[in-house]
Amino acid sequence: MKPWAQLLVFFSVLSAVLAAKPATDKFDRFHTLSRSGPVELDSTSFEELTATPRDYYAAVILTARDDRYGCLMCREFDSEWGVISQSWNKGPKLDGLKMVLGTLDFDHGRVIFQKFMLQTAPVLLLFPPNVGPFAKVNAEPARLEFTGPMTAEHLYLWIERHLPGGPMPPLVRPINYMRIVSAVAIVLGVVTLSTVLAPYVLPIIQSRNLWTAVSLIAILLFTSGQMFNHIRGAPYVAGDGHGGISYFAGGFQNQFGMETQIVAAIYAVLSFATIALAWKVPRMEDVKGQQLAILIWAGVLFGTYSLLLSVFKAKNGGYPFYLPPF
């Protein structure tokens, strides 16, 4: 090899070594600062972190956390960004793969926001290395603009897609001891309250009359078509075409909200009249009073059933049967 060629190779190797050394020193300095969480950057340190030569990845969140800017996502995601940073620093990585995670707040990096022409926040910029084993020819940063709430898991997947394939540190959320203490306190409070109130509440819960009433109300509501109204979105009432109000819809495939309530009330009267005749009246000791009660409840049963038939006939004009007085 000619002397001038040897000299050229020597200077090329020397320049590569000198270029790699500052990049390595720069990474070590920022990596030391990021051990407890993302590095807090300003315009100067951002330029230094992302300057070439760079043998590491630099992931920087550009955010605006101050309340003056009204960026709720910026404040909410700040803790998620910390989870990603701690998981990356503590977990095993691909040999030679290096990355620094940082945060640049608008108050400390207005020049950088203007440089990248950012109108919204937060925005993630991921700068790839331009030297070293994972260097990329195009060292332009990958950019992710937040369009809605973002979790650490979703952002971590996005970062992984831009890194070389291989083992990555798992995302591990720190144990929330306050949540555990709060849950234990709530459970103890519920147990204590249940123990104190049990002698008063259990007789009510175990009451047959209570469950009978609840069951009857539920049966009356559902048999009258309440669920149909919720599914179909039936109107409450409708006009009759003559300036009045129609409470009953024609046909058996349609009904109104008030129609459901009227039918439920009719069913309720029929139910309670039947219960009175079958349960209450036989227990009356006064014979004349018992006879009078039979006549009254039988009359209520007859009249209410007549009203029900008239409603049925109103929905189906061809129905031939009826009972007086309706």
Side-chain angles (χ1 to χ4, degrees), residues 73 145-151:
M73 276 195 300
E145 296 186 8
F146 289 40
T147 57
M150 181 82 70
T151 62

Side-chain angles (χ1 to χ4, degrees), residues 59 124-126 141-145 150 152-163:
L124 175 65
L125 297 177
L126 180 62
R143 178 168 170 170
L144 175 64
E145 296 186 8
M150 181 82 70
E153 287 78 8
H154 288 101
L155 187 61
Y156 199 55
L157 287 174
W158 184 88
I159 293 175
E160 284 187 0
R161 287 197 298 267
H162 291 79
L163 297 181

Side-chain angles (χ1 to χ4, degrees), residues 196-254:
V196 173
L197 296 180
Y200 308 99
V201 176
L202 282 178
I204 299 175
I205 296 177
Q206 295 173 348
S207 172
R208 290 185 177 181
N209 294 334
L210 172 65
W211 289 107
T212 300
V214 171
S215 300
L216 283 175
I217 292 172
I219 291 171
L220 292 174
L221 284 175
F222 289 116
T223 56
S224 63
Q226 186 68 23
M227 188 58 68
F228 180 93
N229 292 343
H230 283 287
I231 295 174
R232 296 288 186 89
Y236 190 66
V237 292
D240 60 359
H242 303 287
I245 297 176
S246 179
Y247 300 105
F248 301 98
F252 297 117
Q253 298 299 320
N254 303 296

Side-chain angles (χ1 to χ4, degrees), residues 264-293:
I266 294 174
Y267 285 168
V269 174
L270 290 173
S271 301
F272 288 119
T274 304
I275 292 172
L277 285 172
W279 188 26
K280 289 291 186 181
V281 174
R283 297 185 180 184
M284 296 177 64
E285 297 180 358
D286 186 2
V287 177
K288 292 184 178 181
Q290 188 181 57
Q291 293 174 348
L292 180 61

